[in-house]
Amino acid sequence: MSRIFNFSAGPAMLPAEVLARAADELTDWHGTGMSVMEMSHRGKEFISIYEEAERDLRELLAIRAAYKVLFLQGGATLQFAQVPMNLLRGKDKADYVVTGEWSKKAVKEAKKYCDAAIVATSEDRGFTYAPKSFSLREKTAYVHYCSNETIGGVEYHEVPKVPSEVPLVADMSSHFLSRPVDVSKFGLIYAGAQKNAGPAGLTFVIVREDLIGNATKGTPSVMDYKAQADADSMLNTPSTYAMYIAGLVFKWLKQLGGLASIEQKNIEKARLLYDYIDASAFYQNPVAKEDRSRMNVPFTLRDAKLDEEFLKGAAKQGMVQLKGHRSVGGMRASIYNAMPIEGVRALVEYMREFEKRHG
Ligand SMILES: Cc1ncc(COP(=O)(O)O)c(C=O)c1O
């Protein structure tokens, strides 16, 4: 199998072992003579795939029974609307922390449904840090933040403290399953699968059971968490193949030793790259050191005129998708769970060699 190092922010690299197993099972899953893609979502074969995936996800994150685990569609973007539709519970206010482009989009969408206010933001310094304390408004229904901003590369390394009566809601899309998380601190966690956990088209929602069942009038049934929970995420035909692949990714993570083990690998990869950037006068990362993302590492070259040449040279050596997001420019290396350390070493080596030529 010939594989390149794909530094895309998402859809992103999947573990080679997972792809190989999926290829192996593509046309005939476990002697059924069918591909998972061809199975009824109500049939016993697919139900066993779904149940095992949920069990493994619960085990990886130590999710207690008081939480529902939902496998939904519509991406994290739909959650920007679905969260207020479900969690306002008769209230009209929700508080938002804005640390980058994604949380900015989340609050903008929530404003369609309620009085959504920004209670803390790092926009004053170009989204280069994560505010740690926020004073919430009285009678707020929940507080929402993005625990890893994919574009700016800003990650919360601690769960922010909020009063226990206010549900904490997190968009974990771009660092889901990259480290252990104490789920019990959250009212709701959501994440698109296409970065760390599987193909696009699947969204995970982990929600405390007592918060659901009060969706705003007019909420479509497929967007009502309670209706989806009662239907085991199969109120309509779910994203079956994506769920199967996610299940294989969960197994891969378990075999590696779980989230504490993948976290160590992620720390090592991120350190390698940041240490090199910090030691160089040619590359720069603008994020406060304590808030730097282990998953998404944006960096600029001393002279933006060299960007094109940098990207072309990297592609020639089998390293792709390093172009930064159009809103910030420069480069961005997304080094999710499936990126092997060899990929990060190859990138650092290339950066060093490029700097020598141009520095
Ligand atoms: C942190 C974060 N939130 C939300 C989204 C939107 O996800 P989707 O495209 O699945 O709707 C993304 C996509 O990159 C993201 O990185």
Side-chain angles (χ1 to χ4, degrees):
M1 191 164 35
S2 158
R3 302 273 294 159
I4 53 168
F5 294 124
N6 174 5
F7 292 90
S8 168
M13 278 183 92
L14 282 165
E17 296 89 329
V18 166
L19 295 176
R21 168 119 182 240
D24 205 38
E25 297 178 342
L26 184 69
T27 54
D28 178 8
W29 184 83
H30 295 200
T32 56
M34 274 189 285
S35 169
V36 174
M37 273 180 267
E38 302 167 305
M39 286 176 186
S40 161
H41 57 297
R42 311 267 178 222
K44 67 175 190 322
E45 295 87 359
F46 185 75
I47 294 293
S48 74
I49 290 171
Y50 153 75
E51 285 177 350
E52 202 162 326
E54 179 182 343
R55 233 182 357 256
D56 287 340
L57 182 58
R58 281 188 179 273
E59 190 182 321
L60 283 167
L61 281 165
I63 303 171
R64 295 189 196 152
Y67 286 79
K68 291 287 182 188
V69 173
L70 307 176
F71 295 85
L72 304 178
Q73 299 176 66
T77 303
L78 190 63
Q79 294 308 311
F80 298 165
Q82 206 166 338
V83 165
M85 282 174 153
N86 283 270
L87 292 198
L88 285 170
R89 296 162 293 133
K91 298 187 178 177
D92 63 353
K93 280 190 209 144
D95 289 352
Y96 280 73
V97 178
V98 172
T99 50
E101 299 304 325
W102 292 110
S103 39
K104 209 169 159 178
K105 281 186 206 284
V107 68
K108 186 170 171 219
E109 189 74 359
K111 281 184 177 163
K112 293 182 184 168
Y113 304 96
C114 63
D115 165 13
I118 298 173
V119 291
T121 178
S122 54
E123 194 157 15
D124 57 332
R125 283 197 262 141
F127 294 133
T128 53
Y129 68 101
K132 307 295 181 312
S133 66
F134 356 106
S135 48
L136 305 183
R137 295 179 300 167
E138 257 180 52
K139 297 192 182 144
T140 192
Y142 60 86
V143 54
H144 176 285
Y145 78 117
C146 177
S147 48
N148 186 67
E149 280 284 358
T150 324
I151 294 173
V154 175
E155 180 169 6
Y156 275 89
H157 293 286
E158 304 277 339
V159 178
K161 284 197 177 62
V162 295
S164 59
E165 67 277 13
V166 183
L168 181 62
V169 176
D171 174 359
M172 291 196 183
S173 293
S174 49
H175 71 166
F176 190 62
L177 300 181
S178 71
R179 56 192 300 163
V181 167
D182 182 353
V183 173
S184 70
K185 290 186 172 159
F186 295 85
L188 186 147
I189 290 168
Y190 64 90
Q194 69 270 26
K195 291 138 195 322
N196 256 337
L202 174 64
T203 315
F204 307 103
V205 172
I206 301 165
V207 60
R208 226 174 60 208
E209 200 170 359
D210 62 292
L211 296 175
I212 63 177
N214 290 292
T216 307
K217 198 163 169 277
T219 300
S221 308
V222 284
M223 290 175 69
D224 181 335
Y225 294 137
K226 176 79 166 81
Q228 285 286 16
D230 288 348
D232 290 331
S233 304
M234 298 193 207
L235 195 80
N236 65 332
T237 316
S239 196
T240 51
Y241 198 74
M243 286 159 78
Y244 155 72
I245 298 286
L248 295 184
V249 172
F250 303 157
K251 288 254 176 281
W252 175 77
L253 280 169
K254 278 176 58 177
Q255 266 161 17
L256 284 180
L259 299 188
S261 164
I262 198 78
E263 177 181 39
Q264 288 314 310
K265 291 181 197 296
N266 288 330
I267 289 172
E268 197 187 340
K269 287 187 292 181
R271 189 177 293 144
L272 196 63
L273 189 47
Y274 284 117
D275 280 356
Y276 176 67
I277 291 171
D278 288 343
S280 137
F282 188 79
Y283 302 101
Q284 220 204 337
N285 169 282
V287 180
K289 282 193 175 155
E290 67 276 17
D291 300 326
R292 283 173 166 179
S293 169
R294 292 175 188 158
M295 299 282 102
N296 311 98
V297 184
F299 60 92
T300 49
L301 275 56
R302 190 160 63 204
D303 180 356
K305 284 201 222 58
L306 293 170
D307 285 3
E308 225 29 64
E309 187 183 336
F310 181 90
L311 290 166
K312 272 197 192 135
K316 257 196 202 144
Q317 296 192 21
M319 290 174 279
V320 300
Q321 298 285 343
L322 281 160
K323 196 176 164 78
H325 190 269
R326 57 192 179 280
S327 64
V328 291
M331 304 296 149
R332 172 178 49 173
S334 294
I335 49 175
Y336 297 122
N337 287 350
M339 172 62 69
I341 190 148
E342 291 74 22
V344 182
R345 284 205 191 105
L347 176 62
V348 168
E349 228 10 82
Y350 171 68
M351 288 167 73
R352 199 190 309 278
E353 181 261 324
F354 191 88
E355 177 176 358
K356 245 194 220 150
R357 266 192 286 132
H358 297 281

